Amino acid sequence: MAIERTFSMIKPDATARNLTGAINAKIEASGLKIIAQKRVHWSTGHAQKFYEVHKARPFYNDLVKFMTSGPIVLQVLEGENAIKKYRDVMGATDPAKAEAGTIRKEFAENIERNSAHGSDSVENAAAEIALNFAGFEIVG
Ligand code: ATP
Ligand code: MG
């Protein structure tokens, strides 16, 4: 195993319900460190670019609308095996299928409004961090 960095987002459904602290508590309890964090409001263009891989999926337009509907918290998380570890802390995409104790089981409203994002590979983590923290030196 290796020390990795992953890109995380607290989505608009969660910021609207003041769940940033509760989600951060779960991240920190898992041993992952929040080494960068900022709250922003995405433009439509930025959301379209971020989710370009899902462009052909039926939920793409709604997802872009949802992700630009309110503030989101962008983060870089660091730790052992951080990419897989944070996917486990979040739980399954659909909260109905997520395990007890996970962020999505406890907080998500449905498969779209599912409170959190985490990168799914080393390559995507690096690309997502570069896209969202361009110009910032992340020192950990
Ligand atoms: P994320 O990329 O946000 O960490 P994920 O990797 O578990 O989630 P993806 O398949 O990459 O899931 O989907 C990206 C996001 O698109 C999901 O988190 C969710 O907000 C939305 N989404 C995925 N599947 C559906 C669906 N069937 N209906 C509506 N929205 C969906
Ligand atoms: Mg994904």
Side-chain angles (χ1 to χ4, degrees), residues 7-8 50 117-120 123-133:
F7 177 69
S8 151
F50 184 85
H117 162 84
S119 308
D120 58 11
E123 297 72 30
N124 286 341
E128 290 172 5
I129 291 167
L131 181 66
N132 288 285
F133 285 93

Side-chain angles (χ1 to χ4, degrees), residues 34-46:
I34 301 165
I35 62 166
Q37 175 169 270
K38 60 180 176 183
R39 183 167 146 131
V40 304
H41 196 141
W42 266 358
S43 66
T44 299
H46 191 93

Side-chain angles (χ1 to χ4, degrees), residues 9-53:
M9 293 191 286
I10 300 174
K11 295 184 178 181
D13 67 285
T15 60
R17 289 174 289 148
N18 255 359
L19 290 171
T20 299
I23 290 173
N24 280 353
K26 282 199 178 287
I27 292 170
E28 292 186 328
S30 79
L32 291 167
K33 282 195 174 137
I34 301 165
I35 62 166
Q37 175 169 270
K38 60 180 176 183
R39 183 167 146 131
V40 304
H41 196 141
W42 266 358
S43 66
T44 299
H46 191 93
Q48 285 171 334
K49 188 170 177 189
F50 184 85
Y51 283 115
E52 209 154 30
V53 289

Side-chain angles (χ1 to χ4, degrees), residues 94-129:
D94 180 354
K97 295 178 184 156
E99 282 186 34
T102 59
I103 289 170
R104 284 165 168 171
K105 184 68 180 186
E106 286 197 13
F107 304 127
E109 295 180 338
N110 55 49
I111 193 170
E112 178 189 72
R113 301 172 64 84
N114 61 2
S115 303
H117 162 84
S119 308
D120 58 11
S121 68
V122 172
E123 297 72 30
N124 286 341
E128 290 172 5
I129 291 167

